[in-house]
Amino acid sequence: MSGLRARLALSSYRWIGTAIYPLVWSYLAIRAAKGKEDPARRRERYGYASAPRPQGPLVWFHAASVGETAAVTPLIKEIRRRGIAVVLTTGTTTSARVAAERLGSTVVHQYVPLDFKPAVSRFLDYWEPDLAIIAESEIWPMTIIELGKRHIPQVLVNGRLSDRTFARWKKRPSLADALFENLALVIAQSDVDADRFRTLGALPVMVSGNLKVDTDAPPHDPKALKEYRQQIGARKSWAAISTFEGEENAAATVHGALKDRTGLLTIIVPRHPERCDAIEAALVAKGLKVARRTRNDPLTPDVDIFLGDTIGEMGLYLRLTEVAFVGRSLFAEGGQNPLEPAMLGCAVLSGGNVQNFRETYQMLAKNGSAKIVRDVEMLAKGVNYLLGNDDMRRSMIDAGLESVQQMRGALTATVKGLEPYINPLVVKARLEPRIEG
């Protein structure tokens, strides 16, 4: 009976994927208005290619946004080193820029086709991938179905399932089982994630650790870093990064409580830079002087807030401080990745809502490199204590660097898990004209 329900569920999804296709233009228009798409490349979302297919075997990598793109970059480089071509799809303009910066012309970038049958089929018909590698938790039913029909192996790497996503899939066990059984392999971040994938019907499942630990530290502009450090001088600084609504106000409250005692500079880097005009207006209304990166405003002694309103410069902002609060954790839920501040020499503070990065925070907290704060008052006390206690701050920084080193190894484990799928492609690539790049 469960098999019948699964077939009915999949049949319904196939029908929806075809019937609703004409409505997608409206969907795209909404997304484009939010700045998440490149209007000039909109046809790629319908599966229309804008670049020639490379010769020889081809691996399709999909990484939804910036974090996933950064996570799979070392893995893509390893695949390319073996002479196999890669087409990388992402879902946002931001992740497309990150791909261009870190991978350049070594891969072909396309925007991911919408999860509707005509778009997915058109994409697969053109690119004819030998293997599909999907990052983290990108489960698109129509894409999975179409890959399965073509007998193209599908591997989920750096796989994770948040509490909310897992609960959502558990409510649809027949559909989950019918979809997840199409995955040739799931390489999960943690034992918890692995158990969740198995519960939903995925087999085989292995654990690698988090690929994000094996990435390089985020890059920066050395000239800008030198100039800003000279402007900051001896002032104390701290950063609130990847912030969501409410957390910028919390950072302003902390700044107001501490600035008279420390001559403090507060760096705020919102998760969504398009909110920065509203954030600046709110900060100015509080009587704070704001400098913005996009305006190249100097960090003069009277500047209260340095607003990081650019994309792809987290490496710059984190190198300007040794104390970082990681957002989406105090008023929003899920948390953001604390590995970047840890690997760049910051003591890490966070709110308690870190469900999406639970294991990472547990490791950092266990080693003494991250502290959880309950509210704004506790955040202010934590920032004040760390800025005033060099020994404790240095101890947390050293523990963070050690924790990152201990967690490395996911890339090696992932490559080993992929070998049964990659090795035949290596042989095939050697029998065909060499791929440049």
Side-chain angles (χ1 to χ4, degrees):
M1 188 66 178
S2 61
L4 176 60
R5 287 198 300 269
R7 288 195 297 273
L8 290 172
L10 288 177
S11 296
S12 297
Y13 196 90
R14 289 190 184 100
W15 179 85
I16 292 171
T18 302
I20 300 183
Y21 181 60
L23 301 179
V24 179
W25 281 109
S26 298
Y27 171 79
L28 275 174
I30 294 172
R31 290 286 300 275
K34 294 182 178 180
K36 294 184 177 181
E37 292 198 348
D38 181 350
R41 296 175 60 183
R42 186 173 295 172
R43 281 170 56 84
E44 293 175 24
R45 298 305 302 271
Y46 290 90
Y48 290 103
S50 62
R53 185 198 188 281
Q55 292 181 321
L58 177 74
V59 175
W60 171 25
F61 271 87
H62 174 61
S65 57
V66 172
E68 292 85 354
T69 303
V72 298
T73 292
L75 181 58
I76 291 173
K77 290 180 178 179
E78 180 63 26
I79 299 298
R80 288 294 294 117
R81 189 183 66 79
R82 298 179 182 214
I84 302 170
V86 169
V87 57
L88 169 64
T89 59
T90 64
T92 65
T93 55
T94 309
S95 50
R97 284 196 291 272
V98 170
E101 291 168 0
R102 302 192 182 187
L103 293 165
S105 61
T106 62
V107 303
V108 178
H109 176 269
Q110 300 281 279
Y111 284 104
V112 65
L114 291 159
D115 198 46
F116 292 89
K117 187 179 187 307
V120 175
S121 295
R122 189 176 293 115
F123 178 89
L124 295 177
D125 288 343
Y126 180 85
W127 293 103
E128 295 182 333
D130 297 273
L131 172 66
I133 299 178
I134 315 300
E136 298 207 6
S137 57
E138 287 289 292
I139 306 299
W140 294 107
M142 186 55 61
T143 300
I144 289 177
I145 292 168
E146 291 302 309
L147 284 166
K149 285 169 58 178
R150 289 166 169 79
H151 304 290
I152 299 170
Q154 309 174 55
V155 179
L156 188 69
V157 300
N158 215 39
R160 69 178 180 90
L161 285 170
S162 67
D163 297 347
R164 182 177 300 177
T165 301
F166 179 55
R168 188 183 304 128
W169 279 113
K170 280 188 69 177
K171 292 178 181 178
R172 301 167 179 83
S174 297
L175 179 58
D177 186 69
L179 290 172
F180 281 83
E181 71 177 4
N182 282 280
L183 299 176
L185 173 66
V186 172
I187 305 178
Q189 290 186 23
S190 70
D191 291 330
V192 172
D193 292 307
D195 288 341
R196 289 178 172 181
F197 280 111
R198 292 189 188 102
T199 298
L200 296 176
L203 286 173
V205 179
M206 61 172 283
V207 178
S208 66
N210 193 340
L211 278 174
K212 292 177 179 176
V213 187
D214 285 5
T215 61
D216 295 330
H220 69 287
D221 179 345
K223 181 180 178 182
L225 178 63
K226 181 179 179 180
E227 291 176 352
Y228 282 132
R229 280 178 170 171
Q230 289 174 343
Q231 292 170 10
I232 293 172
R235 295 179 68 184
K236 294 183 181 297
S237 66
W238 74 291
I241 67 168
S242 300
T243 55
F244 279 63
E245 186 172 357
E247 290 171 332
E248 297 87 16
N249 184 62
T253 300
V254 171
H255 181 86
L258 303 181
K259 71 172 185 175
D260 290 340
R261 284 176 283 170
T262 61
L264 188 64
L265 174 69
T266 294
I267 303 165
I268 299 178
V269 188
R271 178 65 178 83
H272 300 292
E274 62 268 21
R275 298 177 51 238
C276 282
D277 287 344
I279 292 170
E280 180 181 23
L283 294 172
V284 170
K286 293 178 179 291
L288 300 172
K289 183 169 182 178
V290 178
R292 291 177 66 162
R293 170 68 172 145
T294 54
R295 292 196 301 246
N296 291 315
D297 294 335
L299 302 182
T300 54
D302 59 340
V303 167
D304 295 291
I305 309 292
F306 181 26
L307 191 56
D309 54 354
T310 55
I311 293 171
E313 290 197 302
M314 190 63 76
L316 170 64
Y317 302 126
L318 287 173
R319 285 178 171 88
L320 296 175
T321 186
E322 291 186 338
V323 178
F325 164 78
V326 184
R328 200 183 181 183
S329 61
L330 203 56
F331 298 112
E333 292 188 359
Q336 291 292 119
N337 182 14
L339 292 172
E340 288 184 344
M343 69 175 58
L344 282 176
C346 290
V348 176
L349 298 172
S350 172
N353 303 319
V354 293
Q355 299 89 334
N356 293 348
F357 296 89
R358 184 182 291 116
E359 291 77 17
T360 302
Y361 271 102
Q362 286 175 346
M363 173 67 80
L364 293 176
K366 178 182 177 181
N367 289 351
S369 56
K371 303 291 185 184
I372 302 298
V373 299
R374 293 188 303 270
D375 51 32
V376 179
E377 181 180 357
M378 190 172 178
L379 175 60
K381 291 179 179 178
V383 172
N384 185 51
Y385 180 71
L386 289 173
L387 291 178
N389 190 319
D390 293 342
D391 289 340
M392 175 56 73
R393 187 175 69 254
R394 175 48 57 187
S395 175
M396 288 184 68
I397 290 170
D398 291 343
L401 295 171
E402 182 179 349
S403 297
V404 170
Q405 192 60 38
Q406 289 175 358
M407 287 188 280
R408 292 190 186 277
L411 178 60
T412 301
T414 300
V415 170
K416 185 175 181 180
L418 287 171
E419 281 181 349
Y421 307 95
I422 295 299
N423 288 345
L425 302 184
V426 173
V427 174
K428 184 179 177 181
R430 288 172 180 169
L431 297 176
E432 300 197 20
R434 185 171 180 82
I435 301 164
E436 299 300 326

